[in-house]
Amino acid sequence: MTTLREVMDKLEAMGSEQTKSTFLRHGAKEPLFGVKVGDLKKLVKEVKANQQVARALYDTGNSDAMYLAGLTVDPRTADKDMLQRWVRAANWYMLAEYAVAWVAAESPHALELAEDWIRSPDEMTAVCGWSTYANYISITPDDRLDLERIEQLLRQVAMTIHAERNRVRYTMN
């Protein structure tokens, strides 16, 4: 599998109406095929070998392809413009909280974007910001963390969580 078309055909074949229906009930937006995350992971090794295809998957706007892009794009090569495009296109929580946040957290721009995104009036962008920050904390050695800033964010959570939007509350928690 080396071309975008081949990957998209494979995703379509892996999709199911039952999974698609479940994802739609949980906030996913069309287009999507309804591919289970476990099945997406079967394609990671093949797609990861072609970073051009990995990046192109996100640009399709297909939720399954976008999630696969998050699993396969090399975060060290993610620039701010790409991550900003990705967060704007993340139209439901699985993309914002997982696909985009994972890549952003491992990118050279993790803290800058997380700080910017958590202040966003757009719910999915704010969700992505909190999730990016949490993922960054989980993968960064303790001696490289700004503990004072983390304490400030924890105080912010305590003061604002009850007034926040649903998914933002979830990621703050």
Side-chain angles (χ1 to χ4, degrees):
M1 237 186 303
T2 57
T3 70
L4 178 61
R5 182 73 260 150
E6 289 170 330
V7 176
M8 292 302 291
D9 289 345
K10 185 73 170 175
L11 288 172
E12 186 172 12
M14 295 170 86
S16 78
E17 285 302 316
Q18 181 179 357
T19 302
K20 180 177 179 175
S21 177
T22 299
F23 286 168
L24 289 169
R25 277 195 315 275
H26 289 273
K29 308 283 189 266
E30 293 275 5
L32 75 151
F33 301 125
V35 182
K36 294 177 183 174
V37 174
D39 290 338
L40 288 175
K41 290 181 179 181
K42 296 173 185 175
L43 301 176
V44 168
K45 189 174 183 180
E46 295 174 60
V47 175
K48 204 170 209 167
N50 187 334
Q51 284 295 293
Q52 184 178 356
V53 169
R55 288 171 182 260
L57 285 166
Y58 202 88
D59 295 334
T60 67
N62 176 288
S63 186
D64 303 297
M66 294 165 80
Y67 196 93
L68 182 58
L71 293 172
T72 56
V73 164
D74 181 350
R76 297 167 299 180
T77 66
D79 61 37
K80 280 194 276 188
D81 289 337
M82 183 198 92
L83 292 167
Q84 293 286 22
R85 281 192 320 276
W86 280 31
V87 78
R88 284 191 300 272
N91 58 16
W92 75 297
Y93 79 89
M94 279 188 61
L95 296 176
E97 291 175 29
Y98 303 107
V100 179
W102 288 335
V103 174
E106 292 185 57
S107 81
H109 316 288
L111 289 177
E112 177 185 356
L113 292 175
E115 290 280 354
D116 182 43
W117 293 342
I118 62 176
R119 293 186 299 271
S120 176
D122 176 73
E123 183 176 17
M124 286 301 110
T125 302
V127 159
C128 190
W130 286 104
S131 191
T132 297
Y133 215 113
N135 288 326
Y136 174 81
I137 289 170
S138 73
I139 62 173
T140 303
D142 290 351
D143 63 340
R144 291 185 41 217
L145 293 173
D146 181 349
L147 298 180
E148 185 176 314
R149 178 61 183 140
I150 294 169
E151 287 176 13
Q152 291 170 350
L153 287 170
L154 289 172
R155 284 191 296 275
Q156 177 182 340
V157 167
M159 292 172 40
T160 64
I161 193 168
H162 298 293
E164 272 295 354
R165 295 145 294 180
N166 188 41
R167 290 307 303 186
V168 177
R169 277 195 314 271
Y170 179 84
T171 54
M172 289 172 114
N173 205 12

